[in-house]
Structures are given as C-alpha cells and as structure tokens.
Amino acid sequence: MTEPALDAPAPTDSPRGLDLGRLSAYLSTRRPDLAGGELRARLIAGGKSNLTYLLRVGDREVVLRRPPLGHVLATAHDMGREFRVISSLAPTDVPVPAALLLCDDPDVIGAPFYLMERVGGEVYRTRTQTDPLTDEQRRGLAMAMMDTLAALHTVDPAAVGLGDFGRPEGYLARQVRRWSGQLDRSRSRPLPGIDELRDRLAATVPEGANAGRIVHGDYRLDNLLATVDPVAVRAVLDWEMATLGDPLADLGLLLTYWDVLGGSDAAEGNPVADGLGPRAGFPSGAELIDRYAGRSDVDVGPLHWHVALGCFKLAVICEGIHYRHTQGQTLGEGFDRIGDMVAPLVAHGLTAVEER
C-alpha cells in the first residue's frame, strides 16, 4: 500500500474503532515481537466495509483488519475466515499478505481482528490514480488481475487445507438466500425492483457445474495491491466472503463492477467503481473473460445469471453501507453516494436475469 509515512501521535491517540492501549497490552502477551516499541496507527482510507489500519510498531509496519462499526450483517465480516484463507494460500501462486495473528476476542478492541504483514504496492481505485497510467499499463493491470483469479480458481482446496472451507453443493441457491437475508437486515427505505430481482434469481438458479473451487467473493481491481513498473499483482486482499463454491460467481461480480458500474452514471466520482472498467480506459469485460478462459479450466459458459447475482449482491452490500452511513457508523470519505448505486444495479440485474 503506497501510503505516506505515519505521523507520531502519542500512544493514547487511538483512531476511532481501535484502542491502542488495549491492543498494546494484548500484543505484549500474545506477540511480544510486535510490542517492543511505541505503537501508532491510522485508518487506511478506501475500504467501504471492513476497517483497515496501518500500524507502526517501532520500525515495523503491519496491517490490522476489523469489522465495521455498528450494524454488522451476520456472517459478512468474518475475521477468522479471512485469516484462515490467506494463511492457507501462502504457499500457492496466489499472492497474499503473510498472516501474523488472529484475535477472536471482541473485548480487546471492541471486535475480532487480525494482523498481517504490510505489502508494497497500490490499490487502484479512482480515476485520479488510473488516468495517469498508459494504455499498456491499464491493459497489463487488467490482464494480471484475470491471471491471478485464474490461479486462485485452479488451487486444489484440499491440498491447502481448505477442503472443509465451505459446502459447494447448492452454493448458488444459498447465495441467493443469504443475500436475501442480508437485504432484509439492511432495509431502511423503499427499493423498487429488488424483491423482483431476488425472486427471479431464486427461480432460475443454474446447476453450478464448476462448484468446489475457492471463491474470493468480492474480486475486483481495487481489492488488489498492484504495481505498474513492472505490472504485477502483489497481493489479493479482503477475503471476508471467501468460500468453496462456483467460480462463475466471482466472474459475474467482477463484470458487475467492471461493465455495469464502470459504465453507469452512478459510478461517476463514486469511490467503489470510479477507476474501473472501459470508461476508465481499461479493456472490456469480454476481453477479461477471454483472458481468464485461456488460463483456467473453468467452463465460463453463459454468465448472464451470475452477473444478475452480482448485481443483487452488490446492491445489498451498497444498501448496508448506505444504512451505516445514515447512522453515522462509517469512517472516512466517499460514503454519501453509495446509496445512489443501488437503483442502477437492480435495473441491470433485472435485465441480465432474463437473458438467454
């Protein structure tokens, strides 16, 4: 993460959502090697779900991840899940940060958390970051993103200790039910069309012939740490929704970010999708799928249903973030327009689910 150097606040200057005093005491007993100096921290801006902090312990920098403040949807912010998957993927070709420590005791800082090593690179999220890139660099980033996803989907879960990480059978139907439940917990205003989208998805669930692969659950360019000189993916981040399931769900959601939000007026200036997709000078979604298909044994087949699922899932996520924002439970900037994305997502999802 290409973040500027930390200032040097006193140890008592804790950023919201992180009690440095309690954290320091905990580390002194569980990881003394991380408690040997003054502990400083600040929130890393950009994430709209889990909170990410950059910690400096003496001369060492590490990253802490914890769930968001307030209104936490059940199963949606599982720190243990993230920690387990990056630990298991460490010896594979999928680049992940080194996992350091998991704490499932919410009394330490107010929520479960884990620590991982800081990885160099940049999270490409906005047009301010991507506009200065050359066409070759943008294309290189997009293709590296797809190569990394293909590498993830070819990992044998059992070979890395993730054979019991999920229940592949019925994965797609469970996704519809799960996000329907999350929707009910996030409703705070009328959402025209979203119930119709849910019902159409539930009535047309495909067989899921590719089930049983490791699925990231929220794979996109700005969940990667990358470099452009040379072009490379340095680490895949944000594994909170990872499981065993159908890899087409990752592709459908990626296309939702890339082509749906990346081509929508609602994405203009929006921190979730502003720097993604053809509108930002990247290759088309079709080119991404071709690249993936050439490097994976997954049968991509028709993706329209999976795009519709991606639209539904992302609409629910955005509505949950919108709800937290209205309750004053978000940290950082860029949350005021998240709610504007729900309507175009629902509209595109309704169109996609009817395609043949």
Side-chain angles (χ1 to χ4, degrees):
M1 301 175 186
T2 53
E3 301 287 340
L6 289 171
D7 296 329
T12 54
D13 290 342
S14 299
R16 190 179 175 199
L18 182 60
D19 187 322
L20 289 182
R22 294 180 65 85
L23 176 62
S24 181
Y26 179 80
L27 292 178
S28 68
T29 60
R30 295 297 300 273
R31 284 295 298 261
D33 59 311
L34 297 176
E38 183 182 61
L39 182 62
R40 291 172 283 157
R42 65 174 172 78
L43 181 72
I44 297 177
K48 305 306 172 193
S49 184
N50 286 336
L51 301 178
T52 305
Y53 301 86
L54 182 61
L55 306 183
R56 177 172 288 171
V57 187
D59 294 329
R60 186 177 182 182
E61 291 183 338
V62 299
V63 173
L64 182 147
R65 290 265 290 169
R66 59 148 291 167
L69 306 179
H71 188 63
V72 176
L73 297 174
T75 75
H77 305 280
D78 189 338
M79 297 296 96
R81 197 167 198 83
E82 284 202 30
F83 188 83
R84 180 182 176 189
V85 73
I86 64 173
S87 300
S88 298
L89 289 173
T92 73
D93 291 334
V94 181
V96 290
L100 300 177
L101 172 71
L102 172 67
C103 175
D104 56 12
D105 181 359
D107 291 336
V108 177
I109 66 167
F113 69 92
Y114 73 92
L115 299 179
M116 59 185 173
E117 288 284 4
R118 186 188 187 193
V119 177
E122 185 161 357
V123 175
Y124 286 96
R125 177 174 288 117
T126 68
R127 292 291 293 268
T128 302
Q129 295 169 291
T130 60
D131 280 352
L133 303 179
T134 65
D135 290 344
E136 183 179 358
Q137 287 172 329
R138 281 191 288 266
R139 182 173 185 83
L141 276 178
M143 298 308 159
M145 173 180 69
M146 301 314 295
D147 292 350
T148 301
L149 185 60
L152 170 65
H153 289 163
T154 58
V155 172
D156 178 358
V160 295
L162 294 175
D164 61 347
F165 193 55
R167 294 178 294 135
E169 301 78 11
Y171 165 77
L172 294 174
R174 285 198 310 276
Q175 282 287 291
V176 177
R177 291 195 298 271
R178 174 190 177 184
W179 291 102
S180 296
Q182 306 291 44
L183 171 63
D184 291 338
R185 297 180 185 94
S186 300
R187 289 182 190 266
S188 61
R189 56 179 180 161
L191 300 170
I194 201 166
D195 292 319
E196 181 184 358
L197 176 57
R198 174 201 60 204
D199 294 344
R200 291 189 186 183
L201 285 167
T204 56
V205 177
E207 290 295 324
N210 296 301
R213 312 293 181 109
I214 301 172
V215 174
H216 180 276
D218 194 22
Y219 192 84
R220 62 184 195 263
L221 181 63
D222 59 324
N223 271 339
L224 309 178
L225 275 167
T227 57
V228 293
D229 188 19
V231 173
V233 174
R234 298 291 305 279
V236 182
L237 308 174
D238 295 5
W239 293 89
E240 62 191 275
M241 291 185 284
T243 189
L244 299 187
D246 191 328
L248 296 189
D250 273 345
L251 292 176
L253 184 61
L254 178 60
L255 289 178
T256 300
Y257 283 113
W258 203 259
D259 286 341
V260 180
L261 288 183
S264 168
D265 290 339
E268 188 79 28
N270 195 294
V272 174
D274 185 46
L276 308 180
R279 168 181 256 172
F282 286 92
S284 68
E287 292 178 86
L288 300 190
I289 299 304
D290 285 345
R291 177 76 171 206
Y292 173 90
R295 284 159 174 75
S296 169
D297 62 349
V298 172
D299 179 9
V300 295
L303 287 169
H304 63 88
W305 188 93
H306 302 278
V307 171
L309 175 63
C311 288
F312 179 63
K313 175 178 173 178
L314 189 53
V316 173
I317 291 172
C318 289
E319 190 61 23
I321 296 172
H322 167 78
Y323 178 83
R324 289 201 302 273
H325 178 64
T326 63
Q327 301 300 304
Q329 295 171 341
T330 52
L331 300 182
E333 300 178 352
F335 292 95
D336 54 320
R337 292 195 62 202
I338 295 291
D340 296 342
M341 299 166 64
V342 176
L345 284 165
V346 171
H348 191 94
L350 286 169
T351 299
V353 78
E354 291 300 315
E355 293 180 9
R356 295 291 183 267

